[in-house]
Amino acid sequence: FLIELTDEQKEFQATARKFAVEEIIPVAAHYDKSGEYPLPLIKRAWELGLINSHIPESCGGLGLGSFEACLITEELAYGCTGVQTAIEANSLGQMPVIIAGNEQQQKKYLGRMTEEPMMCAYCVTEPGAGSDVAGIKTKAEKKGDEYVINGQKMWITNGGKANWYFLLARTNPDPKAPASKAFTGFIVEADSPGIQIGRKEINMGQRCSDTRGIVFEDVRVPKENVLIAEGAGFKIAMGAFDKTRPPVAAGAVGLAKRALDEATKYALERKTFGKPIVEHQAVSFMLAEMAMKVELARMAYQRAAWEVDAGRRNTYYASIAKAFAGDVANQVATDAVQIFGGNGFNTEYPVEKLMRDAKIYQIYEGTAQIQRMIIAREHVGKYKA
């Protein structure tokens, strides 16, 4: 496990960093206040090759590994995690097609994303099924050469902006059927008749990211849009997370690094009792703790990404990275607000946004508690084997 970056990796990192500092940061507060979708930034990121990095070369993509995606993601998140989440949701939506799509499906649905800036979405969560994925109620019934889909999805990132969705639905009506056989993964065109897109949800943080509920009412999907086969959906949906959780952890690290940088710069300038507050041990020790957490969280996501790129099952490392980095983002952002004092609680300063944006990292793509369940299962399993 080496972390000496190649020249190509350094180039992607530098491009993403320059874009974040020069183009995202100046407008991040505007998008946070307005809640507008950051389409100009997404188009620019697409032009720079910072979106869709996972798409295989055979479909016109860059075919980069998870490690490179993580390096890019950390830098984008440093600028604004609302923008980064809109971009990362594309990777999550694409991942089932990348890992399970046949050549025709990949060329059709991944290929179009390399031809023009376009979004997709991962439609799994429902109003009554978040962590309990096996509890989803959306049904797909086979009728001739088509499936008819009925149900409701919730908290779908890019829900109102996507060109197509990866959708998980129940195809086996038997409630006793195991999750590994009960669900099927579909690719669904977003303009299909019967799809009703809900209002944009106003969230605590990451406000420019587009999050919505979506209703599917007698939506017809051709059987060619089934991924692998009927009953394979649950495994595909979960398999996507092993590849997308490291970049989510990288996003959390980007936020934490931004909080650390802002707090450090402020502590060098702000004076109390006749000296900069950084010279008070109470403050310098907080910065030291924050720095330790940022460095260790970065190592965690890099290990998880490196494992998956080496072709190994990385579930254990992916969950450690996601859980740890999500917690670190929250701790470091909260400490940054503390170092800013009363100013930190004010919207004229950048750290209150970081604190609001951080919370979702302990919730989406598997809560902090679900990650601990996975880590415990994987850890104990080694001793039982």
Side-chain angles (χ1 to χ4, degrees), residues 239-262:
F241 284 136
D242 283 351
K243 289 182 183 282
T244 59
R245 278 180 180 146
V248 171
V253 172
L255 185 151
K257 179 69 167 70
R258 174 76 183 282
L260 174 60
D261 283 359
E262 295 289 354

Side-chain angles (χ1 to χ4, degrees), residues 118-136:
M118 190 180 285
M119 309 313 273
C120 65
Y122 182 90
C123 270
V124 174
T125 300
E126 296 186 0
S131 294
D132 179 17
V133 177
I136 68 172

